Amino acid sequence: MKRVVLAAYARGNPKPGDFRIEQVALPEAGEGEILLKTLYIAVDPLLRFSVDETVLTGAGRMELGMPMVGPVVAEVVASNHPAYAPADVVEARTGWQEYAALAPDRSDYRGPPRKLDPALAPVSTALGALGGPGQTAYEGIVNVGRVKAGETVVISAAAGAVGSIAGQIVKVLGGRAVGIAGGAAKCAALLDLGFDAVADYKAPDFAAQLQTAMPEGADVYLDNVGGDVTMTVLPLLKRGARMPMCGFIAYYGVGMEGPGPDRLPGFYRLIMNKGLEIRGFAGMLAGRKGLEDIAGWMKAGRIRFPESIVEGIEAVPAAFSSVFSGHDHVGKLLVRVGAPAGPGA
Ligand SMILES: NC(=O)c1ccc[n+]([C@@H]2O[C@H](COP(=O)([O-])OP(=O)(O)OC[C@H]3O[C@@H](n4cnc5c(N)ncnc54)[C@H](OP(=O)(O)O)[C@@H]3O)[C@@H](O)[C@H]2O)c1
């Protein structure tokens, strides 16, 4: 089987050459283990923290030569565990490899592989709307943002996995969703998803576009990006606006201890003057309740689950790199690495 290993710690934005494809023997399911065949790999931005030479957060650090970690959807192809049978489809964190053997009873803090119900939705959604990104969007909009009907919510990286679901949750709650994305095509896709207005942060008139999109300002800013995008949004927020701080992808490649310039003084001034309520959150805190609500809204046709799929494990390094350097994909970006053998998916 093939797997992707870390060949070099990322300097700046990750590059495909930071990874290497290896051919290794197929693992076997040992005592109490299951053998998983990977169907989809999610190239999540937060994996960037794991490929830093110096780790600044709690993320697990990769050693050079280690197979890359990360969430996948996989099919059980052999089982020595009573809770799993061949053809079951699960969400697991077995990383960028075509097969993996693991012991469900010895899983990490995230728990054993989550069994999926293919009748509910395509199993790939376990890595998007019905997985971590969906829970994150729910946490940001419902629990941290506390969005109410009639409020205006502006969302950065709105065409991504989290943002595309977050904007639709705003609409379910009766709010007005304003999406920020890079390029006209992504902005058009957001309008198609039901966002009320959009602004293209790559356009020279981004600030004017944003002002037009939310002439009375915004009550909530779900921030996935930081950097210039956030510095353009902040002056347009209403007094006392809430800012769920979900991510800061604009800084992932530059290093969090970059030399500056130090923009904290301006940031502090805006927080104080506007009485902003900023609350960061990490981890899929919304849990089952979030996923159940999203599944219900999907069933009722109120939430769509945009995803973009590229093919083959060889495509994983480039797909991961493109998350930071720009791509045309809308919604969750997945790599399909295998076809299911059984009927489960
Ligand atoms: N707090 C948590 O628990 C949690 C959980 C999951 C994700 N997150 C964070 O949430 C954010 C979104 O995650 P996701 O899964 O939705 O990611 P995603 O689907 O991969 O989308 C990321 C998008 O960010 C935009 N982007 C990248 N670099 C940028 C830059 N320098 N300036 C502005 N936009 C940039 C790109 O869209 P454009 O083409 O529009 O530029 C890219 O497609 C990330 O920051 C991620 O780390 C946090």
Side-chain angles (χ1 to χ4, degrees):
M1 69 153 191
K2 288 180 186 155
R3 65 182 188 184
V4 182
V5 302
L6 183 66
Y9 291 112
R11 304 257 181 269
N13 285 331
K15 298 177 287 303
D18 295 336
F19 305 95
R20 190 175 63 239
I21 311 267
E22 275 185 358
Q23 189 101 27
V24 293
L26 208 65
E28 284 180 16
E31 181 79 32
E33 289 189 337
I34 55 177
L35 178 64
L36 296 176
K37 178 184 183 189
T38 308
L39 305 181
Y40 297 97
I41 290 174
V43 285
D44 285 359
L46 287 177
L47 294 175
R48 172 66 184 80
F49 295 154
S50 301
V51 295
D52 263 325
E53 188 153 17
T54 310
V55 169
L56 298 173
T57 72
R61 176 173 177 272
M62 303 274 316
E63 298 294 337
L64 296 182
M66 269 174 70
M68 277 295 294
V69 294
V72 307
V73 161
E75 181 186 36
V76 177
V77 289
S79 175
N80 294 324
H81 189 284
Y84 298 85
D88 282 350
V89 181
V90 299
E91 183 212 354
R93 299 194 65 87
T94 46
W96 299 1
Q97 46 192 349
E98 290 180 311
Y99 289 84
L102 69 84
D105 295 338
R106 293 197 300 273
S107 359
D108 65 11
Y109 68 95
R110 290 186 177 89
R114 172 171 67 117
K115 279 215 244 179
L116 304 178
D117 176 5
L120 186 65
V123 291
S124 54
T125 57
L127 299 171
L130 292 180
Q135 286 175 312
T136 303
Y138 189 99
E139 182 67 15
I141 296 299
V142 177
N143 295 335
V144 180
R146 309 187 304 283
V147 171
K148 297 185 282 296
E151 289 190 321
T152 295
V153 182
V154 58
I155 299 169
S156 55
V162 173
S164 58
I165 302 300
Q168 296 183 83
I169 296 176
V170 170
K171 296 307 298 172
V172 169
L173 298 177
R176 184 166 183 276
V178 176
I180 298 171
K186 283 194 172 182
C187 286
L190 290 179
L191 292 173
D192 183 55
L193 265 185
F195 280 69
D196 297 281
V198 289
D200 173 4
Y201 77 89
K202 290 185 177 165
D205 63 340
F206 168 50
Q209 283 190 27
L210 197 55
Q211 196 135 26
T212 306
M214 38 188 234
E216 289 165 21
D219 303 276
V220 177
Y221 172 36
L222 178 68
D223 190 9
N224 286 310
V225 167
D228 288 339
V229 169
T230 292
M231 294 313 274
T232 308
V233 171
L234 290 185
L236 300 180
L237 296 182
K238 291 184 187 173
R239 287 208 140 272
R242 286 137 14 233
M243 180 171 149
M245 224 282 276
C246 176
F248 45 102
I249 197 167
Y251 298 124
Y252 294 174
V254 299
M256 280 159 276
E257 292 173 337
D262 183 0
R263 298 172 79 177
L264 272 178
F267 186 55
Y268 272 43
R269 182 171 59 81
L270 282 162
I271 296 170
M272 189 192 75
N273 283 356
K274 287 188 168 281
L276 299 181
E277 182 188 314
I278 301 180
R279 193 173 128 203
F281 63 99
M284 287 111 200
L285 307 169
R288 290 197 70 80
K289 162 84 175 130
L291 289 189
E292 280 164 14
D293 281 357
I294 294 172
W297 294 327
M298 275 168 58
K299 218 166 153 195
R302 304 186 73 188
I303 286 206
R304 284 187 273 158
F305 49 93
E307 44 185 37
S308 300
I309 298 179
V310 296
E311 301 288 339
I313 194 158
E314 290 83 358
V316 177
F320 181 58
S321 305
S322 74
V323 167
F324 306 92
S325 54
H327 59 53
D328 297 332
H329 302 291
V330 173
K332 183 66 205 171
L333 176 57
L334 298 171
V335 184
R336 182 165 25 218
V337 297

